[in-house]
């Protein structure tokens, strides 16, 4: 384990530990906390040059919270004594149910148990998912009273993680808040997502001067797309808010859009000539990736946390494209990255 020493800490600044701080959302959360004046330590299995706790590479058995992760985190918490712990670890783009069970269900419980072991009184902010909710009729605004009845393996694993974390928090008197994040997009998003795949096609067309052929299933599902930087600001708000008896908050944009609409807007923002083809849904493609309609009601987050999303979808897509072009024109030096200390994949 690599734990930051005194030289890595800034006197007088509140400390935060971000589990999964090298993942897509984790990186934005680390940046937002640092900008807000927090002294941030990352806990991850991925390489990072930030002050870090290297998590063990071993994968515990699903459902077994008594793993090495719990011990490593408890030791780190005793040394750091943070005022905030954020669990941003999780898996969505891998189909292996066992991997999702560990990352989305077991890890949240282990984080909470580690805090209990260490006697930590920090605020714990856990990133849940809108897919923990059950389906709602079209045009409904999903608030926190909608029953938890997930329709996907991912949603079920996230709900189990939320319930396990809450059970530990209730049993040990932890101060835990859950942010149910809707569909987060932004610079650095996963290339495995629908938008990430479209981005790769647009970049390739930009490089060779041709037209981008964007081929999508015509699912006609409506999703609430929220900027990852707005999600990160929600974590910052939740770090010090006093929400009373409330503990679960929706984090979304409040607008529902189809994937085809968002892909088209991204393509238009890129300036790359494109053709968008929507293929009819048949056979296995007809299986839904969740509810057909999602639109977040963020009123509770506004009232209790003082948070509202600030970025429009056009701005988010402009920033996604600009960041992707920069990365495409200036790829990272993997030789230098290979020399950075750390463990392996975490979030």
């Amino acid at each position: 384990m690599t734990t930051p020493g005194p030289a890595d800490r800034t006197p007088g600044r509140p400390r935060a530990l971000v589990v999964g701080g090298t993942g897509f959302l984790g990186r934005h959360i680390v940046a937002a906390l640092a900008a807000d004046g927090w002294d941030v330590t990352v806990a991850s299995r991925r390489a990072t040059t930030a002050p870090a706790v290297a998590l063990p590479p071993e994968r515990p058995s699903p459902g077994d919270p008594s793993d090495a992760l719990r011990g490593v985190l408890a030791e780190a918490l005793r040394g750091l004594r943070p005022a905030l712990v954020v669990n941003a670890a999780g898996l969505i783009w891998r189909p292996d149910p066992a991997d999702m069970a560990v990352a989305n269900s077991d890890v949240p419980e282990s984080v909470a148990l580690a805090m209990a072991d260490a006697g930590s009184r920090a605020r714990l902010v856990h990133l849940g998912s809108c897919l923990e909710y059950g389906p709602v009729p079209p045009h409904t605004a999903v608030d926190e009273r909608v029953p938890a009845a997930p329709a996907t393996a991912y949603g079920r694993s996230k709900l189990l993680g939320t319930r396990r974390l809450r059970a530990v928090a209730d049993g040990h008197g932890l101060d835990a808040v859950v942010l149910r994040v809707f569909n987060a997009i932004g610079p650095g998003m996963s290339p495995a997502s629908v938008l990430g795949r479209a981005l790769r096609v647009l970049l390739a067309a930009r490089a060779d001067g041709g037209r981008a052929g964007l081929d999508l299933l015509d699912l006609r599902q409506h999703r609430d797309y929220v900027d990852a930087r707005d999600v990160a600001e929600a974590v910052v708000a939740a770090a010090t808010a006093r929400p009373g008896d409330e503990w679960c908050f929706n984090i979304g944009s409040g607008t529902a859009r189809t994937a085809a609409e968002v892909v088209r807007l991204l393509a238009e923002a890129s300036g790359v000539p494109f053709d968008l083809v929507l293929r009819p849904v048949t056979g296995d493609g007809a299986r839904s990736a969740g509810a057909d309609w999602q639109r977040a009601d963020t009123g509770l987050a506004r009232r209790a946390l003082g948070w509202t999303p600030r970025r429009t979808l056009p701005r988010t897509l402009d920033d996604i494209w600009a960041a992707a072009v920069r990365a495409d024109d200036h790829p990272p030096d993997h030789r230098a990255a290979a020399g950075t200390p750390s463990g392996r994949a975490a979030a």
Side-chain angles (χ1 to χ4, degrees), residues 20-29 46 184-190 227-228 347:
T22 57
F24 166 53
L25 284 177
R27 293 193 302 272
H28 288 289
I29 290 167
R46 290 179 183 158
I185 60 174
M189 65 186 301
S190 171
D227 194 298

Side-chain angles (χ1 to χ4, degrees), residues 3-344:
T3 305
D8 299 310
R9 301 173 184 168
T10 304
R13 296 178 69 186
R15 295 176 190 162
L17 177 65
V18 181
V19 181
T22 57
F24 166 53
L25 284 177
R27 293 193 302 272
H28 288 289
I29 290 167
V30 168
L33 286 169
D36 195 56
W38 291 80
D39 193 344
V40 185
T41 297
V42 169
S44 178
R45 296 186 181 113
R46 290 179 183 158
T48 175
T49 56
V53 175
L55 300 181
E58 300 88 0
R59 191 184 91 177
S61 299
D64 177 14
S66 57
D67 54 11
L69 173 62
R70 176 179 174 179
V72 167
L73 286 177
E75 182 182 347
L77 289 164
R78 292 186 187 101
L80 291 168
R81 298 189 300 278
L84 172 68
V85 176
V86 180
N87 179 42
L91 286 179
I92 184 171
W93 300 115
R94 296 185 193 174
D96 186 341
D99 285 344
M100 285 200 298
V102 171
N104 299 337
S105 303
D106 295 345
V107 168
E109 183 177 27
S110 293
V111 172
L113 286 168
M115 292 180 66
D117 293 344
S120 175
R121 310 314 299 171
R123 163 68 56 82
L124 170 57
V125 177
H126 168 66
L127 299 190
S129 169
C130 63
L131 291 177
E132 295 175 43
Y133 292 121
V136 298
H139 309 295
T140 300
V142 178
D143 66 20
E144 293 79 0
R145 295 170 296 179
V146 169
T152 65
Y154 170 76
R156 288 189 289 272
S157 68
K158 289 295 291 185
L159 178 59
L160 184 57
T162 293
R163 286 175 170 170
R164 288 182 177 175
L165 179 141
R166 284 298 311 175
V168 175
D170 292 343
H172 294 272
L174 302 182
D175 180 11
V177 168
V178 174
L179 304 182
R180 281 197 171 138
V181 179
F182 281 64
N183 298 267
I185 60 174
M189 65 186 301
S190 171
S193 65
V194 172
L195 206 57
R197 292 195 297 271
L199 194 59
R200 293 203 311 272
V201 173
L202 290 164
L203 288 170
R206 169 182 175 268
D208 64 22
R211 293 182 69 84
L214 302 171
D215 190 359
L216 300 177
L217 285 177
D218 190 12
L219 293 176
R220 304 195 182 191
Q221 296 171 328
H222 287 75
R223 296 284 182 263
D224 186 319
Y225 294 90
V226 60
D227 194 298
R229 295 163 296 184
D230 283 328
V231 174
E233 290 173 3
V235 172
V236 174
T240 55
R242 293 291 173 261
D245 294 333
E246 305 292 348
W247 59 267
C248 182
F249 304 94
N250 288 341
I251 304 300
S253 70
T255 302
R257 302 177 188 269
T258 64
E261 179 184 0
V262 178
V263 168
R264 181 183 293 277
L265 289 171
L266 174 65
E268 291 171 351
S270 75
V272 174
F274 70 95
D275 298 305
L276 178 60
V277 177
L278 297 180
R279 292 186 288 113
V281 181
T282 58
D284 289 344
R287 290 180 300 179
S288 171
D292 288 337
W293 175 269
Q294 290 177 343
R295 178 166 67 85
D297 181 333
T298 60
L300 187 59
R302 181 182 67 253
R303 295 188 298 272
L305 305 180
W307 173 88
T308 56
R310 296 193 301 116
R311 294 163 181 86
T312 65
L313 181 62
R315 175 185 169 182
T316 299
L317 296 175
D318 283 343
D319 291 348
I320 288 172
W321 178 249
V325 168
R326 285 195 301 271
D328 202 45
D329 291 343
H330 304 285
D333 186 342
H334 293 292
R335 293 170 299 173
T340 55
S342 90
R344 295 175 55 192

